[in-house]
Amino acid sequence: MKDAVARLTPLGVMVLALLREDDMHPYEMIRLMRQRHDDRIVSLTNGTMYHTVGRLERGGLLAEVGTDREGNRPERTTYTLTDAGRQVVLDWVRREIPRIDRPVEFRVALAEVHNLERDEAVSLLRERETALAASLELHQGGRAKALAKGVPDQYLIEVEREGILLEAELTWLRELIARVADTDYPWGDAAGMPTDRYLAQREAARR
């Protein structure tokens, strides 16, 4: 399973996460991801989608469950999530949430963290908080030492910016942790029951 997690790309995770919702064909996946603006996070083309689906199938993370053809449209193959695929998404999210050196992977993991139990999600987010706080202290301390040694401020602008961004993310993260830790905050599959908007999205993506 470790190898499967290591080989997963952000797009691969998003494909597997989509199949947690229902069986789908790649064309539906593409349309649904575009409707949700997931292409803000990952590059999304027909070629990369079909390549990713093929690789996930060869890895045993998803499986073909049927094909259909409507009118003059090309034949479409529908896929389902395997037990291994379901588990590898969770393991990938667990690995990426605490890491602060992989921003793209973190954004995908954050989009899927609701698949974890509340307590585990809070624990992993707190690990990230600790890592961010340490990184912020390092940046702020390093800049202060450099200024004290007479390094011109103009050479430290990037360091200053990084520290400000870390401080802002840390503030946001602490607010998020408090929100998720609150048991009144809706969380998990039960909180995400299909809405009319979701069902309309799915119907539009199937066409």
Side-chain angles (χ1 to χ4, degrees), residues 99-118:
R99 295 188 61 167
I100 63 173
D101 60 334
R102 291 156 63 92
V104 173
E105 286 80 359
F106 172 66
R107 291 179 71 190
V108 174
L110 190 63
E112 303 303 334
V113 72
H114 59 85
N115 292 305
L116 302 179
E117 294 294 328
R118 184 191 302 270

PDB file of all heavy atoms in Angstrom, residues 99-118:
ATOM      1  N   ARG A  99       2.162  17.847   5.980  1.00  0.00           N
ATOM      2  CA  ARG A  99       3.365  18.310   5.298  1.00  0.00           C
ATOM      3  C   ARG A  99       3.209  19.756   4.834  1.00  0.00           C
ATOM      4  O   ARG A  99       2.157  20.142   4.327  1.00  0.00           O
ATOM      5  CB  ARG A  99       3.660  17.418   4.084  1.00  0.00           C
ATOM      6  CG  ARG A  99       3.994  15.992   4.470  1.00  0.00           C
ATOM      7  CD  ARG A  99       4.466  15.176   3.296  1.00  0.00           C
ATOM      8  NE  ARG A  99       5.689  15.725   2.696  1.00  0.00           N
ATOM      9  CZ  ARG A  99       6.434  15.059   1.813  1.00  0.00           C
ATOM     10  NH1 ARG A  99       6.103  13.845   1.448  1.00  0.00           N
ATOM     11  NH2 ARG A  99       7.511  15.619   1.317  1.00  0.00           N
ATOM     12  N   ILE A 100       4.275  20.536   4.993  1.00  0.00           N
ATOM     13  CA  ILE A 100       4.202  21.952   4.614  1.00  0.00           C
ATOM     14  C   ILE A 100       5.095  22.258   3.415  1.00  0.00           C
ATOM     15  O   ILE A 100       5.243  23.419   3.046  1.00  0.00           O
ATOM     16  CB  ILE A 100       4.579  22.863   5.796  1.00  0.00           C
ATOM     17  CG1 ILE A 100       6.030  22.633   6.241  1.00  0.00           C
ATOM     18  CG2 ILE A 100       3.615  22.653   6.957  1.00  0.00           C
ATOM     19  CD1 ILE A 100       6.511  23.628   7.287  1.00  0.00           C
ATOM     20  N   ASP A 101       5.656  21.214   2.802  1.00  0.00           N
ATOM     21  CA  ASP A 101       6.584  21.416   1.689  1.00  0.00           C
ATOM     22  C   ASP A 101       5.986  21.032   0.338  1.00  0.00           C
ATOM     23  O   ASP A 101       6.689  21.035  -0.666  1.00  0.00           O
ATOM     24  CB  ASP A 101       7.867  20.612   1.918  1.00  0.00           C
ATOM     25  CG  ASP A 101       7.602  19.109   2.034  1.00  0.00           C
ATOM     26  OD1 ASP A 101       6.476  18.733   2.435  1.00  0.00           O
ATOM     27  OD2 ASP A 101       8.520  18.324   1.731  1.00  0.00           O
ATOM     28  N   ARG A 102       4.686  20.695   0.311  1.00  0.00           N
ATOM     29  CA  ARG A 102       4.051  20.256  -0.937  1.00  0.00           C
ATOM     30  C   ARG A 102       2.710  20.964  -1.088  1.00  0.00           C
ATOM     31  O   ARG A 102       1.659  20.407  -0.803  1.00  0.00           O
ATOM     32  CB  ARG A 102       3.878  18.734  -0.919  1.00  0.00           C
ATOM     33  CG  ARG A 102       5.209  17.975  -1.011  1.00  0.00           C
ATOM     34  CD  ARG A 102       5.098  16.572  -0.429  1.00  0.00           C
ATOM     35  NE  ARG A 102       4.173  15.722  -1.147  1.00  0.00           N
ATOM     36  CZ  ARG A 102       4.507  14.906  -2.156  1.00  0.00           C
ATOM     37  NH1 ARG A 102       5.760  14.872  -2.585  1.00  0.00           N
ATOM     38  NH2 ARG A 102       3.614  14.139  -2.735  1.00  0.00           N
ATOM     39  N   PRO A 103       2.726  22.224  -1.545  1.00  0.00           N
ATOM     40  CA  PRO A 103       1.493  23.027  -1.549  1.00  0.00           C
ATOM     41  C   PRO A 103       0.378  22.484  -2.434  1.00  0.00           C
ATOM     42  O   PRO A 103      -0.795  22.565  -2.057  1.00  0.00           O
ATOM     43  CB  PRO A 103       1.971  24.409  -2.031  1.00  0.00           C
ATOM     44  CG  PRO A 103       3.294  24.165  -2.686  1.00  0.00           C
ATOM     45  CD  PRO A 103       3.897  23.002  -1.980  1.00  0.00           C
ATOM     46  N   VAL A 104       0.702  21.960  -3.612  1.00  0.00           N
ATOM     47  CA  VAL A 104      -0.348  21.426  -4.490  1.00  0.00           C
ATOM     48  C   VAL A 104      -0.989  20.205  -3.852  1.00  0.00           C
ATOM     49  O   VAL A 104      -2.230  20.076  -3.791  1.00  0.00           O
ATOM     50  CB  VAL A 104       0.223  21.070  -5.879  1.00  0.00           C
ATOM     51  CG1 VAL A 104      -0.831  20.357  -6.722  1.00  0.00           C
ATOM     52  CG2 VAL A 104       0.696  22.327  -6.600  1.00  0.00           C
ATOM     53  N   GLU A 105      -0.162  19.291  -3.338  1.00  0.00           N
ATOM     54  CA  GLU A 105      -0.691  18.095  -2.694  1.00  0.00           C
ATOM     55  C   GLU A 105      -1.538  18.454  -1.485  1.00  0.00           C
ATOM     56  O   GLU A 105      -2.579  17.827  -1.239  1.00  0.00           O
ATOM     57  CB  GLU A 105       0.462  17.178  -2.282  1.00  0.00           C
ATOM     58  CG  GLU A 105       1.128  16.434  -3.418  1.00  0.00           C
ATOM     59  CD  GLU A 105       2.134  17.283  -4.195  1.00  0.00           C
ATOM     60  OE1 GLU A 105       2.305  18.481  -3.869  1.00  0.00           O
ATOM     61  OE2 GLU A 105       2.754  16.759  -5.124  1.00  0.00           O
ATOM     62  N   PHE A 106      -1.107  19.472  -0.737  1.00  0.00           N
ATOM     63  CA  PHE A 106      -1.896  19.873   0.428  1.00  0.00           C
ATOM     64  C   PHE A 106      -3.279  20.366   0.025  1.00  0.00           C
ATOM     65  O   PHE A 106      -4.276  20.061   0.691  1.00  0.00           O
ATOM     66  CB  PHE A 106      -1.173  20.953   1.236  1.00  0.00           C
ATOM     67  CG  PHE A 106      -2.035  21.517   2.337  1.00  0.00           C
ATOM     68  CD1 PHE A 106      -2.427  20.716   3.407  1.00  0.00           C
ATOM     69  CD2 PHE A 106      -2.489  22.826   2.289  1.00  0.00           C
ATOM     70  CE1 PHE A 106      -3.241  21.221   4.415  1.00  0.00           C
ATOM     71  CE2 PHE A 106      -3.299  23.336   3.294  1.00  0.00           C
ATOM     72  CZ  PHE A 106      -3.673  22.535   4.365  1.00  0.00           C
ATOM     73  N   ARG A 107      -3.356  21.132  -1.047  1.00  0.00           N
ATOM     74  CA  ARG A 107      -4.662  21.651  -1.476  1.00  0.00           C
ATOM     75  C   ARG A 107      -5.610  20.501  -1.819  1.00  0.00           C
ATOM     76  O   ARG A 107      -6.802  20.540  -1.472  1.00  0.00           O
ATOM     77  CB  ARG A 107      -4.492  22.586  -2.672  1.00  0.00           C
ATOM     78  CG  ARG A 107      -3.798  23.899  -2.334  1.00  0.00           C
ATOM     79  CD  ARG A 107      -3.640  24.768  -3.556  1.00  0.00           C
ATOM     80  NE  ARG A 107      -4.908  25.305  -4.008  1.00  0.00           N
ATOM     81  CZ  ARG A 107      -5.073  25.946  -5.164  1.00  0.00           C
ATOM     82  NH1 ARG A 107      -4.034  26.113  -5.976  1.00  0.00           N
ATOM     83  NH2 ARG A 107      -6.255  26.419  -5.500  1.00  0.00           N
ATOM     84  N   VAL A 108      -5.098  19.480  -2.480  1.00  0.00           N
ATOM     85  CA  VAL A 108      -5.924  18.318  -2.818  1.00  0.00           C
ATOM     86  C   VAL A 108      -6.305  17.568  -1.537  1.00  0.00           C
ATOM     87  O   VAL A 108      -7.463  17.175  -1.354  1.00  0.00           O
ATOM     88  CB  VAL A 108      -5.193  17.388  -3.802  1.00  0.00           C
ATOM     89  CG1 VAL A 108      -6.005  16.112  -4.043  1.00  0.00           C
ATOM     90  CG2 VAL A 108      -4.940  18.106  -5.124  1.00  0.00           C
ATOM     91  N   ALA A 109      -5.334  17.368  -0.650  1.00  0.00           N
ATOM     92  CA  ALA A 109      -5.617  16.671   0.606  1.00  0.00           C
ATOM     93  C   ALA A 109      -6.657  17.425   1.427  1.00  0.00           C
ATOM     94  O   ALA A 109      -7.548  16.826   2.036  1.00  0.00           O
ATOM     95  CB  ALA A 109      -4.325  16.489   1.400  1.00  0.00           C
ATOM     96  N   LEU A 110      -6.556  18.746   1.440  1.00  0.00           N
ATOM     97  CA  LEU A 110      -7.509  19.560   2.187  1.00  0.00           C
ATOM     98  C   LEU A 110      -8.912  19.423   1.602  1.00  0.00           C
ATOM     99  O   LEU A 110      -9.907  19.387   2.332  1.00  0.00           O
ATOM    100  CB  LEU A 110      -7.064  21.023   2.165  1.00  0.00           C
ATOM    101  CG  LEU A 110      -7.804  21.985   3.079  1.00  0.00           C
ATOM    102  CD1 LEU A 110      -7.602  21.599   4.544  1.00  0.00           C
ATOM    103  CD2 LEU A 110      -7.336  23.414   2.838  1.00  0.00           C
ATOM    104  N   ALA A 111      -8.984  19.317   0.277  1.00  0.00           N
ATOM    105  CA  ALA A 111     -10.286  19.143  -0.379  1.00  0.00           C
ATOM    106  C   ALA A 111     -10.914  17.799  -0.038  1.00  0.00           C
ATOM    107  O   ALA A 111     -12.132  17.635  -0.145  1.00  0.00           O
ATOM    108  CB  ALA A 111     -10.125  19.282  -1.895  1.00  0.00           C
ATOM    109  N   GLU A 112     -10.083  16.825   0.380  1.00  0.00           N
ATOM    110  CA  GLU A 112     -10.583  15.484   0.666  1.00  0.00           C
ATOM    111  C   GLU A 112     -10.509  15.113   2.144  1.00  0.00           C
ATOM    112  O   GLU A 112     -10.833  13.983   2.511  1.00  0.00           O
ATOM    113  CB  GLU A 112      -9.799  14.452  -0.159  1.00  0.00           C
ATOM    114  CG  GLU A 112      -9.834  14.685  -1.656  1.00  0.00           C
ATOM    115  CD  GLU A 112     -11.246  14.731  -2.229  1.00  0.00           C
ATOM    116  OE1 GLU A 112     -12.158  14.121  -1.608  1.00  0.00           O
ATOM    117  OE2 GLU A 112     -11.460  15.373  -3.265  1.00  0.00           O
ATOM    118  N   VAL A 113     -10.080  16.041   3.002  1.00  0.00           N
ATOM    119  CA  VAL A 113      -9.892  15.695   4.409  1.00  0.00           C
ATOM    120  C   VAL A 113     -11.193  15.321   5.092  1.00  0.00           C
ATOM    121  O   VAL A 113     -11.211  14.617   6.115  1.00  0.00           O
ATOM    122  CB  VAL A 113      -9.185  16.858   5.155  1.00  0.00           C
ATOM    123  CG1 VAL A 113     -10.118  18.047   5.340  1.00  0.00           C
ATOM    124  CG2 VAL A 113      -8.610  16.381   6.486  1.00  0.00           C
ATOM    125  N   HIS A 114     -12.322  15.734   4.527  1.00  0.00           N
ATOM    126  CA  HIS A 114     -13.627  15.385   5.115  1.00  0.00           C
ATOM    127  C   HIS A 114     -13.896  13.890   5.073  1.00  0.00           C
ATOM    128  O   HIS A 114     -14.819  13.400   5.728  1.00  0.00           O
ATOM    129  CB  HIS A 114     -14.745  16.130   4.374  1.00  0.00           C
ATOM    130  CG  HIS A 114     -14.797  15.816   2.913  1.00  0.00           C
ATOM    131  ND1 HIS A 114     -15.468  14.735   2.416  1.00  0.00           N
ATOM    132  CD2 HIS A 114     -14.222  16.447   1.851  1.00  0.00           C
ATOM    133  CE1 HIS A 114     -15.328  14.697   1.095  1.00  0.00           C
ATOM    134  NE2 HIS A 114     -14.579  15.719   0.736  1.00  0.00           N
ATOM    135  N   ASN A 115     -13.083  13.135   4.291  1.00  0.00           N
ATOM    136  CA  ASN A 115     -13.238  11.688   4.242  1.00  0.00           C
ATOM    137  C   ASN A 115     -12.673  10.999   5.481  1.00  0.00           C
ATOM    138  O   ASN A 115     -12.925   9.815   5.696  1.00  0.00           O
ATOM    139  CB  ASN A 115     -12.550  11.128   2.995  1.00  0.00           C
ATOM    140  CG  ASN A 115     -13.254  11.553   1.716  1.00  0.00           C
ATOM    141  OD1 ASN A 115     -14.443  11.334   1.558  1.00  0.00           O
ATOM    142  ND2 ASN A 115     -12.526  12.178   0.808  1.00  0.00           N
ATOM    143  N   LEU A 116     -11.893  11.719   6.278  1.00  0.00           N
ATOM    144  CA  LEU A 116     -11.359  11.178   7.524  1.00  0.00           C
ATOM    145  C   LEU A 116     -12.333  11.431   8.667  1.00  0.00           C
ATOM    146  O   LEU A 116     -13.166  12.330   8.607  1.00  0.00           O
ATOM    147  CB  LEU A 116     -10.020  11.838   7.859  1.00  0.00           C
ATOM    148  CG  LEU A 116      -8.900  11.721   6.828  1.00  0.00           C
ATOM    149  CD1 LEU A 116      -7.655  12.446   7.330  1.00  0.00           C
ATOM    150  CD2 LEU A 116      -8.580  10.265   6.513  1.00  0.00           C
ATOM    151  N   GLU A 117     -12.198  10.637   9.724  1.00  0.00           N
ATOM    152  CA  GLU A 117     -12.984  10.894  10.922  1.00  0.00           C
ATOM    153  C   GLU A 117     -12.584  12.249  11.505  1.00  0.00           C
ATOM    154  O   GLU A 117     -11.440  12.686  11.379  1.00  0.00           O
ATOM    155  CB  GLU A 117     -12.759   9.793  11.956  1.00  0.00           C
ATOM    156  CG  GLU A 117     -13.265   8.425  11.539  1.00  0.00           C
ATOM    157  CD  GLU A 117     -14.778   8.377  11.398  1.00  0.00           C
ATOM    158  OE1 GLU A 117     -15.460   9.119  12.150  1.00  0.00           O
ATOM    159  OE2 GLU A 117     -15.275   7.624  10.544  1.00  0.00           O
ATOM    160  N   ARG A 118     -13.515  12.906  12.138  1.00  0.00           N
ATOM    161  CA  ARG A 118     -13.284  14.257  12.669  1.00  0.00           C
ATOM    162  C   ARG A 118     -12.030  14.313  13.554  1.00  0.00           C
ATOM    163  O   ARG A 118     -11.169  15.175  13.376  1.00  0.00           O
ATOM    164  CB  ARG A 118     -14.500  14.717  13.467  1.00  0.00           C
ATOM    165  CG  ARG A 118     -14.382  16.158  13.984  1.00  0.00           C
ATOM    166  CD  ARG A 118     -15.488  16.465  14.999  1.00  0.00           C
ATOM    167  NE  ARG A 118     -16.816  16.285  14.446  1.00  0.00           N
ATOM    168  CZ  ARG A 118     -17.521  17.246  13.828  1.00  0.00           C
ATOM    169  NH1 ARG A 118     -17.003  18.449  13.673  1.00  0.00           N
ATOM    170  NH2 ARG A 118     -18.733  16.994  13.379  1.00  0.00           N
TER     171      ARG A 118
END
